Amino acid sequence: MASDAPAGVRVQVCHALRDSVWRRDLELAPGATAAQALAASGFARQFPDLDAWALGVGVYGRLAAPGTVLVDGDRVEIYRTLSFDPKESRRRRVEHRRAKQAKLGRERPPGLL
């Protein structure tokens, strides 16, 4: 008699570095959690100075708790700190556009882009 239960859950654990991606493909028992996937991936051994949960862990871009149950094909992502402030970056882009428009003689009021 054939069993309907899946043999395992295939997941990928990845962490984006500045110039590359660290990635591990795993096969875990059905019902495995995000914490179990991190432990099985060897992330803590590879990056002993990084705490994955402090950085943030998610599944396909959505934050996940250690007890999040994984399904076949999930990608567990370990985030990294931002190298810039997105709000500051946007402010700089707006100022750059304003300066460019002013140079062309089409100055806009500060409240508009």
Side-chain angles (χ1 to χ4, degrees):
M1 181 173 177
S3 173
D4 290 340
V9 177
R10 289 173 299 191
V11 298
Q12 185 177 76
V13 179
C14 59
H15 176 61
L17 304 167
R18 290 201 185 277
D19 55 356
S20 65
V21 176
W22 177 87
R23 182 177 22 225
R24 295 292 181 268
D25 293 317
L26 305 171
E27 185 162 343
L28 305 169
T33 64
Q36 291 169 331
L38 278 182
S41 72
F43 179 80
R45 286 187 306 276
Q46 185 74 30
F47 303 97
D49 54 331
L50 298 179
D51 178 11
W53 297 105
L55 292 171
V57 175
V59 177
Y60 283 117
R62 303 191 104 189
L63 281 178
T68 301
V69 177
L70 303 173
V71 297
D72 195 46
D74 275 350
R75 182 181 66 222
V76 179
E77 303 160 339
I78 303 162
Y79 304 123
R80 62 183 166 107
T81 57
L82 294 176
S83 58
F84 61 91
D85 179 10
K87 289 181 183 178
E88 182 59 32
S89 182
R90 184 177 184 285
R91 280 187 205 103
R92 288 181 183 170
R93 283 195 311 272
V94 168
E95 289 304 318
H96 178 74
R97 285 186 200 137
R98 282 191 188 135
K100 187 175 179 181
Q101 292 297 323
K103 211 177 196 182
L104 297 173
R106 298 182 288 195
E107 193 167 341
R108 292 184 176 190
L112 301 173
L113 294 178

